[in-house]
Amino acid sequence: MHKYTRAIGFGEEISGSMIRKVEEEVRTEFTSHERRILDESTDYCEFRKIIGERLELALYGMEDLDENFEKEYSIPVFQGKGITTYADVIVEKKIDKEAYVGICEDARVDISLMFYLQNPMEYVRELQSGNLGKKKTSVTLSALACEGTVLLPVTKNEKDKKEQREEFRNRMMLVSAARKGDSEAIETLTLKDMDTYQKVSKRVVTEDIFSIIDTYFMPYGVECDLYSIMGEILDMDLVINEVTREKIMVLTLDANEMIFDLCIPKTKIFGEPAVGRRFKANIWLQGKINFS
């Protein structure tokens, strides 16, 4: 069982036999199904079943002419809303299985964002048609978390908020210029980072680190699509896993001015979530490429 299957309501107490039963239901009572030809006798198949609002379980594997299915892997899927970024995306296939990772450069997070691609069959279809480079694309990101913590917001007045927004946008412009090879922008960013490091080093002696850092988005662990994040809660909703009846909290977060949705079991949230408070968790980042 995929670790983050717990994030959509299949907790640690769910047995392996139950997961296998659910996977069989995904294959036989699917909500959506796609396939592509591998050779004369074999198709590669994707089966999906909706198990709650915006929650899905996806099953991948090969099927022969006699409809004998051999499972390759299954994953939980949480569908995001809206558009997270219009940054250009590079897609790479994983070595060990028929799965894909999207990579985009978004100046808001200062790093190359890597995410599990939610619509691999659509991507391969667009790639094989030869129309991939002709279409404008955007990305809708979403996140799955097995547990997380609610933190109180950092107190800021309107002047502080305005200055923070201006400073953030100036940094985005510098990062964009630096990525294009602007030596002056690279030098300015280096000096600003050194200045920030000195200020934080002094403050952290007497203050809690989370009273200094408002939000963050940074890699976590050795997997390329795992991140540690902290963001402001903009909206929240409650959905139900129709199989286990577990309550799943859906949070809309703003981390480094990048807005995306996150799902997490309600019982695995430490603290009381509310709009305006912050949320901290380790996440598995997913994304859907929207082909226009």
Side-chain angles (χ1 to χ4, degrees):
M1 182 176 71
H2 194 286
K3 174 184 176 181
Y4 282 88
T5 304
R6 288 181 288 166
I8 63 170
F10 294 97
E12 295 175 346
E13 69 281 0
I14 302 299
S15 65
S17 59
M18 181 178 180
I19 287 295
R20 287 191 292 273
K21 180 183 177 182
V22 173
E23 288 178 344
E24 182 59 27
E25 289 178 357
V26 172
R27 193 179 74 84
T28 57
E29 303 171 15
F30 53 83
T31 309
S32 62
H33 171 43
E34 290 195 54
R35 63 173 62 215
R36 61 185 175 85
I37 298 171
L38 291 180
D39 54 47
E40 293 181 355
S41 61
T42 311
D43 289 346
Y44 191 80
C45 299
E46 174 194 75
F47 299 93
R48 290 195 183 205
K49 183 177 174 64
I50 295 174
I51 58 169
E53 185 180 349
R54 300 167 63 187
L55 306 177
E56 298 178 346
L57 197 62
L59 184 65
Y60 295 88
M62 290 171 284
E63 192 172 79
D64 62 22
L65 295 176
D66 297 323
E67 296 188 353
N68 296 313
F69 180 75
E70 182 180 345
K71 169 191 165 185
E72 184 178 18
Y73 68 98
S74 66
I75 60 151
V77 176
F78 170 57
Q79 298 288 351
K81 282 186 177 180
I83 304 298
T84 310
T85 179
Y86 288 95
D88 293 335
V89 182
I90 299 171
V91 177
E92 295 287 344
K93 182 181 177 299
K94 288 197 171 186
I95 296 174
D96 59 335
K97 58 188 175 183
E98 192 70 18
Y100 295 81
V101 174
I103 308 164
C104 64
E105 302 282 346
D106 195 303
R108 291 173 292 182
V109 292
D110 285 0
I111 56 175
S112 297
L113 273 179
M114 300 186 185
F115 57 89
Y116 171 84
L117 186 62
Q118 290 180 335
N119 54 334
M121 304 294 272
E122 184 182 11
Y123 166 76
V124 172
R125 191 164 58 247
E126 293 288 341
L127 182 65
Q128 291 176 342
S129 70
N131 296 323
L132 194 60
K134 303 174 185 177
K135 293 188 175 182
K136 292 183 179 180
T137 60
S138 60
V139 177
T140 300
L141 294 177
S142 60
L144 293 85
C146 294
E147 58 185 16
T149 305
V150 177
L151 296 137
L152 293 174
V154 175
T155 303
K156 292 177 288 186
N157 55 38
E158 287 302 317
K159 182 182 177 182
D160 293 334
K161 292 179 181 178
K162 184 179 179 181
E163 289 178 352
Q164 186 180 35
R165 285 194 296 267
E166 289 178 356
E167 184 178 344
F168 188 83
R169 282 167 174 73
N170 289 336
R171 182 175 178 81
M172 282 178 59
M173 293 175 65
L174 285 171
V175 170
S176 296
R179 285 175 175 168
K180 294 176 183 177
D182 188 325
S183 58
E184 187 175 338
I186 295 172
E187 184 178 350
T188 302
L189 279 171
T190 303
L191 292 173
K192 281 182 174 291
D193 286 345
M194 291 173 64
D195 184 47
T196 300
Y197 176 76
Q198 290 178 351
K199 289 180 180 179
V200 171
S201 297
K202 290 178 182 179
R203 290 182 61 183
V204 79
V205 175
T206 56
E207 298 179 52
D208 183 86
I209 187 67
F210 294 120
S211 67
I212 302 171
I213 299 172
D214 196 5
T215 68
Y216 65 79
F217 202 114
M218 56 189 289
Y220 169 78
V222 295
E223 294 286 342
C224 63
D225 47 12
L226 298 182
Y227 294 89
S228 177
I229 61 102
M230 180 169 67
E232 180 184 350
I233 300 174
L234 302 180
D235 197 9
M236 49 195 289
D237 193 14
L238 192 67
V239 300
I240 304 294
N241 180 314
E242 296 172 359
V243 178
T244 63
R245 308 309 299 174
E246 186 168 352
K247 295 178 180 178
I248 307 298
M249 187 69 74
V250 174
L251 304 175
T252 301
L253 301 178
D254 179 351
N256 285 32
E257 295 201 4
M258 189 166 66
I259 298 172
F260 59 95
D261 292 335
L262 174 146
C263 74
I264 180 173
K266 189 174 185 294
T267 57
K268 296 298 182 179
I269 298 176
F270 182 73
E272 187 64 32
V275 173
R277 293 179 179 177
R278 293 177 296 167
F279 183 77
K280 181 172 74 74
N282 298 324
I283 65 167
W284 180 35
L285 192 65
Q286 298 186 343
K288 178 183 178 182
I289 300 178
N290 306 301
F291 299 98
S292 57

